[in-house]
């Protein structure tokens, strides 16, 4: 539906006509109603005022406050535009549905970089304008045509110090070794990270992971299936650990600190061989605020202060290399790109996941169910 | 009666006509859309349906779903039958508080119940800790995060849905028939199996249908209590729509569920009037 653009133009025309007295108030209000635009926004300026904001589509919870503080406030100071939120979680299917329906209500999605690969190829995204957004302010391989990595999160694991305190596990090989480290494990249910961890445990070199050897990976996953359960959301993983259901649990590293705190240090995070995932900002095609405004927003998110606030507020690791050296000492153990961790990590390949992710998820579900 | 078709439709129908139109537009419209998607995405043809024949994993998911739903139905209706029986034949005061208990559990959200089961029967849950504490077990019993956990959660959720139609059905039974049976020399169990049970058949069918159909769409309970290992159709559909973008597969499975349920209703309608079942379900 291209009605939206048409409606917005009609409305802008209408606003001008109304101001000049060529159109009566009632007709103008009906027009606004038809276009589904808040009349207040229109009356305070012109129809463009309705678009004088950026709508960020994120995952809710703490993120709302943190994104507002880290990016919204400096962005407002710089451009005068407000930051609003849709907290329903921009899963690939939802973005595709929104763009296909023609009613695009979000400007920027807090998504994964592999989403940028999958949805960019199918024509659902605006390309990133690297005249405004800086390629140097993210990790080399994570500045892609349809998305740029703003933060990193990663797959690491926590273990029960009461069970393995004397001889703690140090990497994925130990995680998959149920003889040496008996007890239940929990892995991520949607394949991502789990597949890589299995291959590393099976002896594949960190820089030779992609393209993933699915058969080999799934065989390794199945080898500990009887001792495994699987989580679908961060809070589920958190509760599995806190309730003592598992001896080791794959977690998103930004949750590690919270878990250590909630278990009074009984569970400890292992960052060695953590799999770094590029969290990316992507822009649905035909976003309401326009491409120019949202690119400025993404550029603001790349700035060092914004990056460091996202770290302290959400535990998301900066992807801007300028920020790496400024990671505070108390957060360094939990950050992926801190000096003490950066050489131990493995980089996810968003291109492989964008292209093969769907098949991989289904094969993984088939293997674990 | 005059012959004009409008008059025959009656003014009552004219009143509901706008709402009918709304239902058609908002409900049938999207369903047709889904059906269309199932034969057009990713490419026109019956490829999505053919995958049912060729894909082991789809077959396994459907089998898991049918198995879990059938077992859930069996146990829910069996428990529901006993509860309804006790309610109908108890004294009025007991019946009232039993009904309140059933309704209270009916109204508690599925998420709350699911997490309660984890607390109660999880590895470090109340039951396992208690049993370990008094030395009966050395290893925790795996109640949760497997198919048993899913069944426990689903049966518990479904019992009220079984109780209510059965209760309504049992309340309409003339108790003098039981007395008559006894006076003619039948034993208690003979009376139950040969007189009482057949009389409650419409209620049994209604309860089983209701529980089975609702079970087919279960999402939260299998996802959480199954620990990722019990993959049922509803969750799989959601993954195909939201994560892997196989909308054609998802639409095909949705259509399969829809026609499965309609087919089930059709088969049942051959054996009995559906209106008595759903009339009986009005608790």
């Amino acid at each position: 539906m291209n009605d939206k653009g048409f409606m917005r133009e009609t409305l802008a025309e209408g606003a001008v006509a109304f101001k000049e007295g060529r159109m009566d108030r009632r007709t103008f209000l009906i027009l606004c109603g038809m276009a589904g635009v808040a009349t207040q926004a229109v009356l305070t300026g012109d129809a463009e005022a309705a678009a004088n904001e950026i709508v960020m589509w994120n995952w809710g919870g703490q993120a709302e406050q943190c994104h507002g503080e880290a990016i919204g406030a400096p962005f407002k100071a710089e451009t005068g535009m407000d930051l609003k939120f849709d907290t329903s979680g921009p899963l690939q299917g939802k973005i595709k549905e929104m763009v296909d329906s023609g009613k695009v209500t979000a400007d920027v999605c807090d998504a994964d970089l592999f989403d940028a690969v999958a949805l960019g190829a199918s024509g659902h995204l605006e390309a990133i304008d690297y005249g405004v957004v800086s390629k140097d302010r993210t990790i080399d391989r994570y500045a892609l045509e349809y998305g740029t990595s703003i933060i990193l999160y990663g797959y690491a694991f926590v273990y029960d110090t009461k069970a393995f305190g004397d001889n703690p596990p140090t990497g994925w090989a130990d995680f998959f070794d149920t003889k040496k480290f008996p007890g239940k494990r929990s892995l991520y249910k949607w394949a991502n990270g789990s597949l890589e961890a299995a291959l590393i445990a099976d002896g594949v070199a960190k820089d030779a992971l992609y393209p993933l050897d699915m058969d080999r990976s799934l065989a390794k996953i199945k080898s500990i299936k009887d001792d495994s359960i699987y989580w679908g959301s961060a809070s589920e993983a958190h509760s599995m650990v806190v309730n003592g259901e598992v001896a080791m649990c794959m977690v998103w590293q930004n949750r590690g600190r919270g878990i250590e705190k909630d278990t009074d240090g009984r569970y400890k995070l292992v960052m060695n061989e953590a799999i770094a995932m590029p969290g990316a900002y992507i822009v649905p095609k035909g976003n309401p605020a326009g491409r120019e405004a949202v690119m400025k927003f993404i550029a603001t998110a790349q700035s060092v202060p914004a990056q460091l606030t996202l770290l302290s507020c959400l535990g998301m690791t900066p992807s801007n290399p300028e920020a790496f050296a400024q990671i505070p000492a108390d957060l360094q153990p939990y950050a992926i790109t801190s000096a003490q961790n950066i050489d131990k990590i493995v980089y996810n390949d968003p291109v492989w996941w964008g292209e093969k992710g769907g098949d991989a998820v289904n094969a993984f579900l088939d293997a674990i169910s | 009666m005059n012959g004009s078709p409008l008059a025959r439709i009656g003014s009552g129908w004219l009143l509901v006509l706008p709402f009918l139109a709304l239902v058609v537009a908002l409900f049938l419209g999207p369903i047709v859309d889904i059906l269309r998607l199932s034969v057009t995405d990713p490419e026109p043809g019956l490829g999505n349906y053919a995958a049912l024949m060729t894909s082991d994993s789809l077959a396994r998911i459907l089998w898991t779903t049918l198995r879990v739903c059938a077992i859930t139905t069996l146990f829910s209706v069996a428990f529901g039958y006993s509860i309804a029986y006790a309610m109908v034949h108890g004294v009025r005061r007991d019946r009232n508080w039993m009904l309140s208990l059933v309704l209270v559990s009916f109204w508690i959200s599925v998420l709350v119940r699911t997490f309660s089961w984890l607390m109660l029967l999880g590895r470090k849950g109340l039951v396992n800790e208690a049993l370990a504490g008094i030395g009966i077990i050395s290893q925790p019993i795996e109640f949760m995060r497997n198919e048993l956990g899913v069944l426990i959660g689903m049966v518990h959720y479904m019992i009220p849905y079984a109780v209510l139609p059965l209760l309504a059905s049992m309340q309409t039974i003339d108790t003098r028939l039981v007395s008559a049976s006894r006076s003619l020399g039948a034993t208690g169990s003979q009376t139950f199996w040969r007189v009482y049970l057949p009389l409650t058949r419409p209620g049994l069918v209604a309860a089983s249908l209701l529980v089975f159909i609702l079970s087919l769409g279960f999402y939260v309970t299998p996802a959480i209590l199954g620990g990722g290992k019990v993959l049922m159709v509803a969750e799989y559909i959601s993954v195909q729509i939201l994560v892997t973008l196989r909308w054609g597969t998802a639409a095909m499975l949705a259509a399969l569920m829809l026609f499965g349920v309609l087919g089930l209703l059709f088969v049942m309608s051959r054996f009995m009037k559906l209106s008595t079942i759903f009339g009986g379900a009005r608790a």
Side-chain angles (χ1 to χ4, degrees):
Chain A
M1 237 167 46
N2 268 329
D3 292 5
K4 195 170 170 92
F6 167 73
M7 231 36 242
R8 175 147 1 111
E9 274 169 36
T10 313
L11 210 58
E13 294 279 315
V16 175
F18 171 59
K19 270 187 190 156
E20 289 174 357
R22 281 190 285 123
M23 185 185 280
D24 64 67
R25 187 185 174 86
R26 174 174 298 222
T27 314
F28 179 61
L29 286 178
I30 290 173
L31 252 183
C32 291
M34 280 165 62
V37 170
T39 45
Q40 217 169 4
V42 177
L43 288 173
T44 49
D46 54 27
E48 289 302 312
N52 196 19
E53 63 186 29
I54 292 282
V55 177
M56 182 175 198
W57 194 359
N58 66 10
W59 302 85
Q62 277 239 288
E64 203 171 339
Q65 178 218 330
C66 296
H67 284 142
E69 200 178 303
I71 320 168
F75 183 67
K76 168 100 180 166
E78 207 179 308
T79 62
M81 290 176 83
D82 287 315
L83 178 60
K84 299 255 167 74
F85 295 99
D86 172 349
T87 56
S88 61
L91 282 165
Q92 255 183 47
K94 293 193 198 169
I95 301 174
K96 178 172 143 93
E97 197 277 329
M98 180 184 272
V99 175
D100 283 348
S101 77
K103 294 180 199 67
V104 179
T105 54
D107 292 296
V108 58
C109 310
D110 181 16
D112 276 292
L113 199 52
F114 61 79
D115 295 327
V117 175
L119 291 171
S122 58
H124 290 89
L125 299 179
E126 299 280 353
I128 298 294
D129 179 356
Y130 283 107
V132 182
V133 177
S134 165
K135 272 196 177 181
D136 300 331
R137 290 182 153 190
T138 188
I139 287 175
D140 243 356
R141 66 184 92 178
Y142 289 161
L144 302 185
E145 189 179 356
Y146 291 100
T148 196
S149 169
I150 297 297
I151 53 94
L152 299 169
Y153 66 97
Y155 294 94
F157 69 92
V158 294
Y159 69 93
D160 185 355
T161 54
K162 213 163 156 187
F164 315 123
D166 304 330
N167 179 24
T170 57
W172 294 116
D174 294 341
F175 186 91
F176 279 83
D177 188 344
T178 48
K179 284 214 180 66
K180 205 167 142 203
F181 300 95
K184 286 263 173 203
R185 293 2 189 197
S186 184
L187 290 95
Y188 185 46
K189 192 161 144 182
W190 309 132
N192 206 307
S194 296
L195 290 172
E196 282 91 342
L199 287 176
I200 297 168
D202 211 29
V204 177
K206 285 197 284 190
D207 48 6
L209 282 173
Y210 299 96
L212 297 182
D213 182 342
M214 288 297 293
D215 292 338
R216 185 170 176 184
S217 179
L218 292 178
K220 190 77 179 169
I221 297 278
K222 280 182 182 169
S223 72
I224 60 162
K225 188 171 156 183
D226 289 343
D227 288 307
S228 303
I229 56 177
Y230 306 88
W231 53 269
S233 69
S235 54
E236 207 181 340
H238 195 111
S239 74
M240 281 173 179
V241 175
V242 173
N243 295 334
E245 286 187 70
V246 287
M248 285 193 223
C249 185
M250 171 182 261
V251 293
W252 283 322
Q253 123 289 334
N254 60 310
R255 285 279 178 155
R257 198 160 161 234
I259 287 174
E260 287 184 0
K261 216 172 98 197
D262 286 353
T263 58
D264 294 323
R266 175 162 170 183
Y267 283 80
K268 208 169 159 355
L269 183 70
V270 175
M271 283 295 284
N272 186 33
E273 299 175 335
I275 298 145
M277 289 292 301
Y281 286 3
I282 60 180
V283 179
K285 192 144 204 111
N287 68 301
R291 183 158 173 251
E292 201 183 321
V294 75
M295 290 305 148
K296 275 190 217 149
F297 177 83
I298 296 177
T300 308
Q302 289 187 311
S303 72
V304 174
Q307 297 261 303
L308 292 174
T309 310
L310 288 176
L311 173 66
S312 60
C313 196
L314 277 178
M316 297 299 184
T317 305
S319 64
N320 178 354
E322 292 167 41
F324 292 176
Q326 298 182 44
I327 293 171
D330 61 325
L331 295 177
Q332 287 205 14
Y334 307 98
I336 293 170
T337 48
S338 63
Q340 56 172 286
N341 288 333
I342 195 163
D343 294 327
K344 301 180 203 159
I345 61 171
V346 183
Y347 289 98
N348 165 281
D349 180 1
V351 178
W352 189 90
W353 275 98
E355 288 165 0
K356 302 276 169 32
D359 289 329
V361 170
N362 281 342
F364 186 81
L365 286 178
D366 189 44
I368 65 171
S369 67
Chain B
M1 288 282 148
N2 67 44
S4 120
L6 207 65
R8 258 191 288 133
I9 291 172
S11 52
W13 280 102
L14 283 180
L15 272 176
V16 291
L17 202 63
F19 302 104
L20 270 181
L22 209 64
V23 168
V24 169
L26 296 180
F27 191 70
L28 286 184
I31 286 183
V32 170
D33 224 28
I34 291 283
L35 293 181
R36 194 181 49 78
L37 203 60
S38 75
V39 289
T40 55
D41 182 286
E43 55 201 25
L46 292 174
N48 290 320
Y49 291 89
L52 274 179
M53 295 294 137
T54 54
S55 157
D56 289 346
S57 83
L58 281 180
R60 221 148 46 85
I61 289 160
L62 288 173
W63 168 235
T64 306
T65 308
L66 291 178
R67 185 181 64 230
V68 168
C69 291
I71 300 175
T72 301
T73 307
L74 185 72
F75 281 94
S76 308
V77 173
F79 288 133
Y81 199 93
S82 333
I83 295 171
Y85 190 88
M87 281 166 84
V88 171
H89 299 280
V91 290
R92 175 165 285 282
R93 199 169 48 96
D94 289 349
R95 186 188 311 175
N96 285 343
W97 68 252
M98 284 170 84
L99 188 63
S100 339
L101 285 181
V102 168
L103 286 178
V104 165
S105 90
F106 186 64
W107 287 325
I108 294 175
S109 108
V110 62
L111 217 66
V112 172
R113 297 200 213 184
T114 301
F115 283 109
S116 309
W117 279 119
L118 280 182
M119 276 187 234
L120 206 60
L121 294 181
R123 267 180 88 81
K124 295 274 165 71
L126 207 61
V127 172
N128 269 325
E129 293 284 271
L131 290 179
I134 51 179
I136 294 179
I137 53 170
S138 56
Q139 283 291 316
I141 302 172
E142 307 276 349
F143 291 112
M144 291 286 131
R145 308 283 191 196
N146 52 26
E147 193 164 314
L148 177 64
V150 175
L151 286 171
I152 292 174
M154 283 178 65
V155 167
H156 179 246
Y157 189 86
M158 285 299 169
I159 284 176
Y161 289 91
V163 169
L164 297 178
L166 284 167
L167 190 62
S169 153
M170 286 179 188
Q171 274 169 339
T172 60
I173 290 174
D174 191 340
T175 47
R176 286 173 305 178
L177 290 170
V178 175
S179 315
S181 163
R182 295 304 300 270
S183 75
L184 290 170
T187 63
S189 63
Q190 273 176 327
T191 302
F192 177 78
W193 291 107
R194 297 177 61 181
V195 177
Y196 197 85
L197 193 64
L199 283 170
T200 54
R201 207 178 63 172
L204 272 173
V205 174
S208 308
L209 266 183
L210 191 67
V211 170
F212 188 80
I213 291 172
L214 286 173
S215 304
L216 283 177
F218 252 60
Y219 178 93
V220 174
T221 309
I224 296 176
L225 298 186
K229 291 172 164 178
V230 184
L231 188 59
M232 285 175 54
V233 167
E235 193 183 6
Y236 193 73
I237 289 177
S238 133
V239 174
Q240 301 312 312
I241 288 179
L242 294 173
V243 182
T244 65
L245 302 192
R246 303 286 147 81
W247 288 9
T249 306
M252 180 273 291
L253 286 170
L256 196 68
M257 286 292 116
L258 180 66
F259 288 114
V261 168
L262 290 178
L264 206 61
L265 288 175
F266 176 75
V267 171
M268 287 298 170
S269 75
R270 309 293 293 181
F271 293 106
M272 56 204 332
K273 267 169 70 187
L274 282 183
S275 58
T276 55
I277 293 176
F278 290 110
R282 213 181 297 121

